[in-house]
Structure formats: structure tokens, C-alpha cells
Amino acid sequence: MQGKSEKEACFVTTVIFPPRRAKRIICLLAACILLPSVAPAAPKQAKTAPSKKAAFSDAAVAGAIRRAQEFLWSKQAGEGHWGPFGGNEKYEDGPTALATYALLASGVSATEPRMIKALDWLAAQKTEMTYCLGLRCNAWVLANRETNNRYRPQLRQDVKLLLAGQRNGGYGYKCGPEDKTKPKVDKSWRWDNSNSQYGVLGLWACARAGLD
């Protein structure tokens, strides 16, 4: 992760946990990632004596997941998205793909009205960014389980971009056919481990969905 920002390091960490544990933690990680970028800075408060740590339990984990879900919903825009992320290389639908995947993985139904709005907004977006595609594919897989494969066309399209975007077996920031007019020094077309794991994450979703 050398050279990556703290936010991107947190962003990448989301995919390394096994599926069962992911249901309990993805929503919390997404909340941690989105908090610095979309929430106003909290006012400084006077130091207080440390409180006793709450006992770890299934109920405590469920409560934490519920609070994280509520936080994510509180940041959703009226159109159904969670805003863009990034500077020069903007991920217009990245936060929305991450929040949608997190909420679905944490147990929110794909038929929940706010989730339908998020999924439909996401389905209308065009992207070639590897991070976004990897997350979108997993959101489509989870949503399709409750919607009679409504988002299967979007899954197919995103997977096609991922397959076309491989660079010597890895992934760079962008997918799709390589632009031969761009100089080789253009970092968008170089592969790295961070983008590559998101590309693999998207293809894993494809395999789980039974796509050829």
C-alpha cells in the first residue's frame, strides 16, 4: 500500500474478509470511509474520563451494524446516490457502489424503497473505473437475489469491461479496451495490486452469479 492515501487504504481493506464476516463489518467500514469525506467536521469537545468498554456480544454487533446503516442512510442524497469521491481521478459512482454493497451485505433488502432508488441511480451511471466496477458487480449479485435478476444486464456489462480491462493479468484505474493513442506513461492504463484486487472482486461476483 506504499504511496496510497489513508482513505484509499481503508477503501481497499473492505474486500479482504471472508463472506460471513463481511456481513458484519462491510457496513461499518463503509461508514468509516464515507464519514471524513461527506460529514462536516465535529466540534471539539472537552476531554472526559474514559468509559468502560461494552461487553462484546452478538447483540452489540447487531446494534453497531444498525447504527452504521442509519448513518449511511442519513448521507444518501434525494436522487439516491452518496456523491463522488476523489480529486483528479473522480469516482462519480464509487461511494454509491460501496454504500449500496455495504447495506445489501449487512441485510438491507433490495426491495427497500431507498435501496431501489440507489440501485436505479447506480444502474444509470456509466463508468470504466476499476474500483467502481468491482464494487458494482457485487452489489448487482446481492440485489439480483431478491429482484428476479433485474440487474443482470448491468452485471454482464460491468463484467465485460473488467475482462477487457486486464493488463497482463492485473488492473489499473480504468477498464475497457486500451486506448492506443495514450502514452504508456499514463497511469490510468498501468496495473497495480490495489486496483487488481477490485478487478478480481468483480470477476468473483461474476463467477458466483454463474455468468460465462
Side-chain angles (χ1 to χ4, degrees), residues 35-207:
L35 178 58
S37 58
V38 299
K44 293 184 178 179
Q45 297 180 351
K47 291 184 178 180
T48 57
S51 57
K52 292 183 179 179
K53 290 184 178 179
F56 181 81
S57 65
D58 288 345
V61 171
I65 291 175
R66 184 178 63 255
R67 291 191 297 275
Q69 290 172 338
E70 291 170 354
F71 170 79
L72 289 178
W73 285 130
S74 74
K75 300 301 177 183
Q76 186 186 34
E79 296 85 354
H81 62 78
W82 275 266
F85 175 87
N88 294 331
E89 291 285 357
K90 274 207 171 179
Y91 301 87
E92 295 291 347
D93 60 335
T96 301
L98 178 56
T100 301
Y101 178 27
L103 288 165
L104 288 168
S106 68
V108 174
S109 172
T111 61
E112 204 272 3
R114 292 171 295 183
M115 179 56 69
I116 292 174
K117 186 177 289 189
L119 288 165
D120 287 349
W121 184 90
L122 204 57
Q125 308 309 306
K126 304 295 184 183
T127 186
E128 290 185 341
M129 305 304 285
T130 304
Y131 287 130
C132 301
L133 291 169
L135 291 166
R136 280 163 56 117
C137 285
N138 282 270
W140 303 140
V141 169
L142 294 181
N144 282 337
R145 294 175 182 176
E146 295 185 83
T147 60
N148 195 29
N149 283 325
R150 177 178 178 181
Y151 302 99
R152 198 171 180 85
Q154 284 77 19
L155 176 60
R156 283 189 178 278
Q157 178 59 34
D158 286 354
V159 167
K160 284 181 180 179
L161 288 171
L162 286 172
L163 289 172
Q166 283 191 346
R167 305 285 178 258
N168 297 320
Y171 286 91
Y173 285 92
K174 291 183 180 179
C175 285
E178 185 170 3
D179 188 346
K180 300 297 184 180
T181 66
K182 288 191 174 184
K184 292 298 182 182
V185 295
D186 183 355
K187 70 176 183 179
S188 297
W189 301 100
R190 294 203 305 258
W191 72 269
D192 60 70
N193 289 334
S194 177
N195 280 285
S196 293
Q197 66 176 335
Y198 274 81
V200 172
L201 180 71
L203 296 180
W204 175 61
C206 166

